[in-house]
């Protein structure tokens, strides 16, 4: 169809790991009907985003084209894919489609933001499809570290695109559907224009291992521990929760789940009919009365989160439960880059209590949920797309994935957030660049990453803060001298005198010398008081603080 095109536009997740949001469109340039794949979040850290609660993709471009959005599709229930649905459903206005388990997790998020039931549609897996304007979309089961993960078949008049979602090649995933190469070959048999593919583990050279390989080692470990065992993993990894709980049960231990996210995942998986044979669990009150050697706590906080159960147990107690010498703590997880400091802090606190910390240093107690290099090649070979578009990775992952495809003659293109590709014809080309970025949930308010709020917070944290106040009377004469209030700076500086006194002396000298013209000029007065304060503070402390000037004028 002449004049119409198929576009792909990542708004999050391409050039970073996390905060996934992808847009596909079909139609005349500038008039395309759109579908959205995933609406995820990423998490803040104290160094770059202090005080921020959540980081979300900037969806301004999408929201401005709300009337063109046909539907939203969520591939699976990890936070970096579903975490923003509650925050964004109203701004986007389109119906959200997901499989049963993902929909149940999304429903909690939508309920918290007052969304109607009709906004969410539960979809059966392939060959069922959803018609969304010029698109026909189907959910193809694929294995990952959470139940009911799916890749998407996206059909349009311009051909078939396969969007892999997050995946691994696992034939025995413990919970959820095994990878089915025949099914993927079947959806690819009539030709695939583009494979938009997970790139997370492109640098891992060995084939990925199955979730089922962990059970014997975890069982052996738990059975050998003399005291209480605490195990932490990703709350959403239902298969791992089951592996650990069954191992504990076989070792004669009662299981107690600690952490809201973990309890919710187990309840949801059970309600959706995905979790069978999970041992009976007890609450923290009952757990407190069970002999330590007969107890296993399954807890949240594998990434060092400050408010999670792991951190609270490490710092003292959680819901009446305490760790002591002779207990063991298993991290059945990988530390996500950027979280190392928080995790190591917890490990050291546990060590100080005499608790034995067991990490997954040799791959005995954790397997990744993402496809390694040979597994990615296997999917390339099954699907045989015309071209490859890597996603879900930092820039280095995307670039390496293109190189991996090229090793077997598969051409690819690196497309990062904001780069709109035209997928029409036989080769993808860059159509245009869109402004993308991040928005922050800061308390209960959404703010733009470029609004300066977090930047000011960082500056105050690094340099301290001074408020300068002075009063000017009806005749533009100073009423007394300026006074200062100081936060986040030392009480005394190089002169060994109180910093506040030194600041007030220098400001008083300036005010007493300033003429009426200066005192009448609001902007100049503000600027000079600020300059003198920063200059004196730097001479005294080596820091240039943030300064607020308040001039009260009597009328």
């Amino acid at each position: 169809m002449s004049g119409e095109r198929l576009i792909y536009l990542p708004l999050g997740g391409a050039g970073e790991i996390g905060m996934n949001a992808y847009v596909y469109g079909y139609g005349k340039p500038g008039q395309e009907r759109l579908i959205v794949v995933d609406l995820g979040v990423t998490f803040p850290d104290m160094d770059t985003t202090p005080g921020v609660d959540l980081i979300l993709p900037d969806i301004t471009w999408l929201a401005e084209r709300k009337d063109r959005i046909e539907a939203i599709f969520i591939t699976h229930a990890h936070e970096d894919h579903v975490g923003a649905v509650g925050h964004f459903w109203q701004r986007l206005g389109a119906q959200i489609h997901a499989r049963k388990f993902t929909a149940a997790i999304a429903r909690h998020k939508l309920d918290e933001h007052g969304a109607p039931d009709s906004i969410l549609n539960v979809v059966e897996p392939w060959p069922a499809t959803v018609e969304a304007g010029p698109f026909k979309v189907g959910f193809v089961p694929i294995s990952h570290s959470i139940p009911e993960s799916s890749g998407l078949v996206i059909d349009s008049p311009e051909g078939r695109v396969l969007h892999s979602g997050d995946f691994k090649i696992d034939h025995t995933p413990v919970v959820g559907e095994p990878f089915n190469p025949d099914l993927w070959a079947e959806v690819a048999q009539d030709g695939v224009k583009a494979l938009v593919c997970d790139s997370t583990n492109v640098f891992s050279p060995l084939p990925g291992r199955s979730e089922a390989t962990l059970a014997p080692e975890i069982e052996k470990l738990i059975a050998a521990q003399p005291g209480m065992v605490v195990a932490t993993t990703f709350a959403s990894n239902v298969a791992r929760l089951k592996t650990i709980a069954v191992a504990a049960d076989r070792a004669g231990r009662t299981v107690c789940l600690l952490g809201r996210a973990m309890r919710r995942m187990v309840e949801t998986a059970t309600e959706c009919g995905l979790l069978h044979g999970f041992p009976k669990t007890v609450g923290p009150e009952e757990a407190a009365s069970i002999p330590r050697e007969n107890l296993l706590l399954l807890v949240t906080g594998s990434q060092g989160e400050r408010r999670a159960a792991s951190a609270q147990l490490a710092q003292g107690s959680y819901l009446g439960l305490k760790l002591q010498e002779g207990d063991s703590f298993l991290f059945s997880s990988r530390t996500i880059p950027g979280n190392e400091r928080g995790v190591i802090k917890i490990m050291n606190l546990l060590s100080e209590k005499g608790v034995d910390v067991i990490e997954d240093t040799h791959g005995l107690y954790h397997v990744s949920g993402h496809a390694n290099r040979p597994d990615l090649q296997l999917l390339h070979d099954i699907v045989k797309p015309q071209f490859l578009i890597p996603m879900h990775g930092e820039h280095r992952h995307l670039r390496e994935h293109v190189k991996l495809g090229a090793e077997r003659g598969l051409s690819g293109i690196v497309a990062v957030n904001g780069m709109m590709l035209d997928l029409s014809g036989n080769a993808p080309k860059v159509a245009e660049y869109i402004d993308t970025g991040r928005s922050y949930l800061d308390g209960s308010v959404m703010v733009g990453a470029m609004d300066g709020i977090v930047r000011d917070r960082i500056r105050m944290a690094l340099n301290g803060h001074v408020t300068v106040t002075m009063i000017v009377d009806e005749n533009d004469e100073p009423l007394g001298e300026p006074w200062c209030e100081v936060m986040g700076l030392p009480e005394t500086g190089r002169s060994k005198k109180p910093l506040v006194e030194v600041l007030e002396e220098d400001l008083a000298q300036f005010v007493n010398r300033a003429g009426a013209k200066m005192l009448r000029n609001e902007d100049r007065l503000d600027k000079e008081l600020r300059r003198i304060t920063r200059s004196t503070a730097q001479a005294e402390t080596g820091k240039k603080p943030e300064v607020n000037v308040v001039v009260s004028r009597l009328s």
Side-chain angles (χ1 to χ4, degrees), residues 309-318 320-324 349 353:
S310 292
Q312 299 208 39
L313 282 168
Q315 281 155 5
S317 68
Y318 183 63
L321 295 164
K322 286 186 176 180
L323 287 162
Q324 65 186 41
L349 287 169
K353 286 181 164 18

Side-chain angles (χ1 to χ4, degrees), residues 18-294:
M19 203 178 78
N20 295 276
Y22 306 93
V23 182
Y24 293 87
Y26 182 81
K28 288 188 164 56
Q31 298 169 34
E32 297 92 350
R33 303 305 297 173
L34 308 172
I35 59 170
V36 182
V37 175
D38 291 335
L39 284 171
V41 299
T42 192
F43 296 96
D45 61 71
M46 285 303 287
D47 290 340
T48 60
T49 45
V52 169
D53 294 273
L54 265 187
I55 302 174
L56 304 94
D58 180 351
I59 58 158
T60 306
W61 185 89
L62 257 183
E64 286 169 354
R65 292 156 180 80
K66 179 178 179 177
D67 59 327
R68 286 164 43 194
I69 303 170
E70 295 283 354
I72 297 162
F73 298 89
I74 307 295
T75 58
H76 65 285
H78 276 146
E79 287 295 310
D80 60 330
H81 294 260
V82 73
V85 289
H87 301 283
F88 287 157
W89 74 270
Q90 213 157 6
R91 284 180 67 193
L92 299 180
Q95 192 172 39
I96 298 161
H97 302 270
R99 293 183 63 194
K100 190 176 179 182
F101 178 80
T102 307
I105 298 297
R107 182 76 263 167
H108 289 299
K109 297 176 185 304
L110 291 163
D111 285 347
E112 285 167 10
H113 291 83
D117 289 350
S118 59
I119 201 81
L120 189 61
N121 177 44
V122 178
V123 182
E124 291 299 314
W126 183 264
T129 56
V130 174
E131 295 215 9
F135 293 100
K136 212 182 222 182
V137 181
F139 287 73
V140 184
I142 199 158
S143 42
H144 184 41
S145 51
I146 193 168
E148 288 194 346
S149 293
S150 299
L152 298 179
V153 170
I154 301 171
D155 286 335
S156 74
E158 192 54 51
R160 175 164 286 185
V161 172
L162 289 185
H163 184 102
S164 77
D166 291 10
F167 80 100
K168 66 181 290 191
I169 305 289
D170 194 338
H171 300 287
T172 50
V174 180
V175 174
E177 296 128 322
F179 178 73
N180 182 345
D182 296 339
L183 179 62
W184 280 83
E186 180 197 312
V187 298
Q189 69 186 6
D190 293 331
V192 170
K193 178 179 276 289
L195 172 62
V196 182
C197 191
D198 182 359
S199 308
T200 315
N201 282 1
V202 70
F203 289 107
S204 301
L206 301 173
R209 294 179 304 127
S210 171
E211 183 66 34
T213 62
L214 297 177
E217 291 297 337
I218 289 176
E219 279 184 27
K220 202 191 307 177
L221 175 77
I222 291 173
Q225 303 311 308
M228 182 165 74
V229 177
V230 184
T232 185
T233 187
F234 299 99
S236 57
N237 193 338
V238 178
R240 187 72 46 81
L241 300 181
K242 181 180 174 181
T243 299
I244 294 168
V246 168
D249 191 50
R250 286 187 181 157
R253 291 177 184 263
T254 302
V255 177
C256 174
L257 293 175
L258 293 180
R260 192 171 60 113
M262 202 166 267
R263 288 198 309 276
R264 176 175 284 178
M265 282 291 170
V266 170
E267 283 164 14
T268 306
T270 305
E271 285 163 13
C272 291
L274 298 168
L275 188 56
H276 308 284
F278 197 91
K280 182 180 162 295
T281 61
V282 297
E285 304 81 9
E286 201 179 328
S289 63
I290 293 170
R292 308 183 78 74
E293 64 276 11
N294 297 339

